[in-house]
Amino acid sequence: MEYLTREQIINDLQQSFQPYIDKFGIEDIGIYEEEGENDQYYFGYTARKEGKTFHIHTPFKKNDNGELAPVKNEWVIESDEPQREDIRGFKDIESAFREI
């Protein structure tokens, strides 16, 4: 399992902002970051499309040095709409962006 620093992960995610905006018609995009229970951490994107906001993320595991490694290759879409359920099981980020 390859561990990366938080800064490396954020830099990698930021590299894709403009291509995703152009390819998927995203109005605005930023970094999504959330610390979960135990050693869990979530990284991905907060994206706005057609006036709706979505959090698209994948899980990471944090080691004792504070470095992070992907747990599994699955992306989840959360919507800011309370009645809408999370959509799970995307094997790549582009599939998740196509869904929104």
Side-chain angles (χ1 to χ4, degrees):
M1 187 178 297
E2 181 184 354
Y3 283 89
L4 303 169
T5 67
R6 176 183 169 274
E7 291 75 22
Q8 287 172 306
I9 294 168
I10 289 173
N11 286 339
D12 287 347
L13 292 170
Q14 287 175 330
Q15 299 285 325
S16 304
F17 280 2
Q18 195 59 50
Y20 290 150
I21 288 170
D22 296 339
K23 186 172 184 177
F24 298 106
I26 304 295
E27 296 163 8
D28 189 30
I29 192 167
I31 297 294
Y32 175 87
E33 178 180 0
E34 181 180 343
E35 191 164 359
E37 294 180 10
N38 301 320
D39 302 350
Q40 290 289 323
Y41 219 87
Y42 302 91
F43 277 102
Y45 301 96
T46 296
R48 192 175 73 237
K49 184 173 180 182
E50 298 174 2
K52 297 177 183 173
T53 302
F54 302 91
H55 307 290
I56 305 169
H57 54 80
T58 191
F60 285 78
K61 179 179 175 70
K62 187 189 257 185
N63 69 14
D64 293 337
N65 297 326
E67 299 167 319
L68 300 143
V71 175
K72 58 183 173 180
N73 191 23
E74 179 186 67
W75 291 84
V76 176
I77 300 172
E78 293 180 21
S79 172
D80 276 354
E81 298 175 37
Q83 70 278 11
R84 188 168 173 182
E85 292 189 28
D86 297 350
I87 306 171
R88 301 179 177 281
F90 297 96
K91 297 300 178 197
D92 58 61
I93 187 63
E94 291 200 4
S95 297
F97 276 123
R98 275 193 291 279
E99 180 70 24
I100 65 169

